[in-house]
Amino acid sequence: MRMVESGDVRLAVYEEGDPGRPAVLLLHGYPDTHRVWDEVAALLRDRFHVVRYDVRGAGASTAPADRGDYGFDRLIGDLDAVLDAVGRAKVHLVGHDWGSLQGWEALGRPGVRDRLASFTSLGGPGLRQAADFMRHGRPRDVAAQRARSWYIGAFRLPVLPELAWRSVLPGLVRRALRGDGIAPRPGHPAPTLVRDGINGLALYRRNPPDPGLDPRVPGLPVQIIEPTRDAYVTPALLESVGRWAPRLWHRRIAAGHWAHRSRPGTVAGMIAEFVEHVEGGPASGELRRARAGGAFGGRLVVVTGAGSGIGRATARAFAAHGAEVVCADIDIDAAKRVADGIARDLRITAHGVQVDVANADDMEDFSRNIISEYGVPDIVVNNAGIAVAGAFLDHTLDDWRRTIDVNLWGVVHGCRLFGAAMAERGQGGHIVNVASLAAFAPSQVLPAYSTSKAAVKMLSDCLRAELAGHGIGVSAICPGFVSTGIASHATYTKDSLREDAVRGLARRGYPPERVAAHILRAVHRNQALVPVNAEGKIGYALSRISPRAMRGLARLSKFAGKDRPYGRR
């Protein structure tokens, strides 16, 4: 540690790692000190020259004589002084909370901007971009952000915030840390927390948003790391930054406000990957996707049974909204046709891959290869399935085994293998399991199919509860009758059932593209259960209101089905 003078304050500056390596400067927020970055710095110091400092009035740095000297001019002057002391031509700046706000402000000032190689924001945009969002954003999005930003007005009040810091606020900070799954440790919160909190109130009082300032960020590579459970920043505010930063990478992490404490390995990995790419290294698949646009831009989506029907429609729908798609099917030719069509029609990267979802070894290899070659998927759609139609007494043991192996075990394999990788990565994600109206509507002629789909629905409910803490959503999609090729490819215990089934689904006129739209909406809204189309919604409602009536309808039914054959759903 050394002290660096900036005007009438002395800044405590800390350096680690080889000075010959690229420099990464970590800026802390309010009411933290440089110690909030301890875990991340420990992971970066073997690869970079890591620099941290306590901002004026915090930690070991001194406070200005004039309590009003916390404006951006002074803060950027402090950053300049530290850069002079470090003596590097360029540094990669990383900021959290108020450190992030200082970084965004530095991007708007040509003098200091020229000294930055890149900027990574862990949190929200700068005050310039936020002011533009508050003026021009959708009213409901603005209202939601204002609700989350309530503390800004409170900190600008006279006297009361100082009293709060001397009484209840230190305990609330520790409670907020525990709410993020973080245990207080030596250095964070700092022993100087009360003094730092009182001094830092001037940050809010001396830096009001100015809508007259230019929000544009010309040229510099910018990475946003979005903690998806941050209580203070809405996704809509972060999405608005894209219009101002032309070289923007947007990444997500399943964590709260102090993501660098709760998931230091993930945060350090994202910082290192970005810095090394800016320094000339190749971009990983995840980093490359982070620049894509669209509602699902930057996401890697795996769809099983993607060779036709709902699977094909879902793969194309995700690609149309910016996602890179892995189209998996037991029929490799069908999978490649879908992938090639996406690449040709939508100009989106897509991959056709063969997999037998019922084969545990095949799924192990499939998941391992996907993760190795393309990265951990953000969204997995377990869609592959088969239908066997006929009375229970006409089903063979092999009919039951094949149906359970594909419809249930295929989903179990997909959830287990990819869900574990998502949880370990720590960036959240979503799993979609395509079930059916048959999950809650009994039928005389689909006993094995209905049993497997009911199990998929229950599996989804169980998994949703378990993975919620990892930021991973799970949705069960339950379509009614959909006009696909399942009826013509299904197995029938009696040939007399085939003609009615094929004709009935063809007449239904409900295209798989509409099911795909429901799937995308379920992921976007993190919906647990989605009955699709009229019979799906009516069947679900009736199963809740009167299960007896559903059993009565089952006695009258001659055929009830919806999905498609093995691997082609």
Side-chain angles (χ1 to χ4, degrees):
M1 189 267 279
R2 55 175 162 156
M3 303 301 290
V4 173
E5 293 188 2
S6 177
D8 67 339
V9 302
R10 302 180 72 232
L11 304 170
V13 180
Y14 304 81
E15 298 180 66
E16 304 169 78
D18 184 352
R21 295 182 178 273
V24 176
L25 196 160
L26 306 173
L27 265 177
H28 69 82
Y30 172 84
D32 298 322
T33 69
H34 79 284
R35 293 293 304 276
V36 74
W37 288 107
D38 280 358
E39 292 86 352
V40 171
L43 295 169
L44 293 177
R45 64 191 176 201
D46 291 337
R47 301 164 68 179
F48 306 102
H49 177 206
V50 179
V51 182
R52 295 178 281 168
Y53 69 94
D54 292 331
V55 302
R56 56 177 51 210
S61 294
T62 63
D66 184 347
R67 293 290 299 276
D69 281 347
Y70 281 84
F72 273 129
D73 287 343
R74 300 294 188 185
L75 297 171
I76 299 304
D78 292 347
L79 176 59
D80 245 342
V82 172
L83 293 177
D84 287 340
V86 172
R88 302 298 298 270
K90 296 270 189 178
V91 300
H92 297 272
L93 185 63
V94 181
H96 171 250
D97 191 74
W98 262 96
S100 176
L101 294 179
Q102 292 181 57
W104 285 103
E105 185 63 24
L107 299 184
R109 302 190 177 209
V112 68
R113 182 176 66 226
D114 295 340
R115 309 183 71 176
L116 305 179
S118 72
F119 173 53
T120 293
S121 169
L122 180 58
L127 291 186
R128 298 178 182 219
Q129 294 78 26
D132 180 84
F133 172 79
M134 292 300 185
R135 290 180 64 194
H136 303 297
R138 292 191 302 177
R140 68 177 182 181
D141 292 337
V142 172
Q145 182 57 53
R146 287 190 186 280
R148 294 202 189 189
S149 303
W150 61 270
Y151 61 92
I152 295 177
F155 285 162
R156 289 175 178 163
L157 295 173
V159 181
L160 291 178
E162 282 84 352
L163 293 175
W165 271 115
R166 292 187 174 96
S167 54
V168 299
L169 276 181
L172 292 178
V173 169
R174 291 180 173 87
R175 185 179 301 176
L177 283 170
R178 292 189 180 95
D180 277 359
I182 303 166
R185 54 142 169 86
H188 188 243
T192 55
L193 176 64
V194 173
R195 189 205 71 181
D196 298 345
I198 292 173
N199 286 340
L201 291 170
L203 293 169
Y204 295 91
R205 294 167 176 169
R206 298 298 176 181
N207 296 290
D210 186 349
L213 294 177
D214 189 352
R216 289 177 295 181
V217 181
L220 199 75
V222 176
Q223 174 179 229
I224 289 179
I225 300 176
E226 175 186 349
T228 57
R229 294 197 292 266
D230 195 323
Y232 310 108
V233 181
T234 61
L237 175 58
L238 287 171
E239 289 292 342
S240 70
V241 178
R243 62 185 299 199
W244 302 121
R247 299 181 65 190
L248 178 69
W249 287 255
H250 189 161
R251 310 179 77 173
R252 295 169 179 84
I253 180 171
H257 182 68
W258 285 279
H260 42 335
R261 284 281 333 268
S262 62
R263 296 194 178 275
T266 304
V267 172
M270 289 180 171
I271 293 170
E273 195 174 50
F274 184 61
V275 169
E276 289 173 345
H277 175 57
V278 173
E279 289 287 326
S284 67
E286 289 187 11
L287 194 61
R288 174 174 50 78
R289 287 190 294 272
R291 291 206 69 182
F296 291 96
R299 312 293 182 88
L300 176 65
V301 180
V302 172
V303 182
T304 64
S308 63
I310 295 173
R312 177 175 60 193
T314 300
R316 289 185 64 90
F318 274 115
H321 287 81
E324 182 176 333
V325 183
V326 175
C327 305
D329 200 283
I330 195 169
D331 182 345
I332 184 58
D333 292 333
K336 288 184 175 180
R337 279 196 300 271
V338 174
D340 291 344
I342 288 172
R344 180 186 64 249
D345 301 337
L346 303 174
R347 299 290 191 268
I348 292 291
T349 302
H351 317 276
V353 182
Q354 185 175 36
V355 67
D356 179 357
V357 299
N359 186 308
D361 292 337
D362 205 17
M363 281 295 287
E364 289 270 4
D365 292 340
F366 169 69
S367 62
R368 188 184 305 112
N369 292 338
I370 293 301
I371 293 169
S372 174
E373 191 164 353
Y374 309 121
V376 176
D378 302 284
I379 300 165
V380 174
V381 182
N382 293 304
N383 168 75
I386 64 171
V388 176
F392 171 79
L393 296 179
D394 292 333
H395 275 57
T396 66
L397 189 59
D398 185 58
D399 289 335
W400 276 93
R401 283 176 176 155
R402 288 194 304 112
T403 303
I404 298 297
D405 282 350
V406 178
N407 292 2
L408 178 57
W409 274 109
V411 174
V412 170
H413 295 322
C415 291
R416 180 177 65 88
L417 297 168
F418 289 117
M422 289 179 181
E424 182 179 359
R425 180 182 62 166
Q427 297 179 34
H430 206 98
I431 295 173
V432 176
N433 296 325
V434 180
S436 171
L437 162 66
F440 37 79
S443 164
Q444 292 187 60
V445 291
L446 292 169
Y449 180 80
S450 298
T451 300
S452 67
K453 292 303 182 180
V456 167
K457 177 186 173 298
M458 181 54 69
L459 169 64
S460 301
D461 288 340
C462 295
L463 198 60
R464 183 178 177 87
E466 179 176 342
L467 296 182
H470 296 281
I472 301 170
V474 180
S475 299
I477 310 299
C478 298
F481 305 128
V482 181
S483 300
T484 68
I486 178 173
S488 60
H489 293 92
T491 298
Y492 296 88
T493 60
K494 292 184 178 180
D495 288 339
S496 58
L497 293 171
R498 181 183 299 274
E499 184 177 348
D500 287 343
V502 173
R503 184 169 57 247
L505 288 190
R507 287 177 176 175
R508 177 60 181 88
Y510 196 91
E513 287 75 17
R514 295 183 66 178
V515 182
H518 281 281
I519 290 173
L520 268 65
R521 190 178 300 116
V523 174
H524 181 70
R525 298 178 180 177
N526 192 19
Q527 295 172 296
L529 178 69
V530 183
V532 177
N533 66 24
E535 59 271 21
K537 294 174 182 177
I538 293 170
Y540 177 67
L542 196 57
S543 72
R544 301 294 299 273
I545 297 169
S546 178
R548 181 177 180 180
M550 293 297 288
R551 290 191 290 270
L553 289 173
R555 297 190 196 103
L556 301 176
S557 65
K558 292 183 179 180
F559 183 85
K562 144 261 149 213
D563 277 329
R564 60 210 94 258
Y566 185 18
R568 298 199 57 178
R569 177 161 129 160

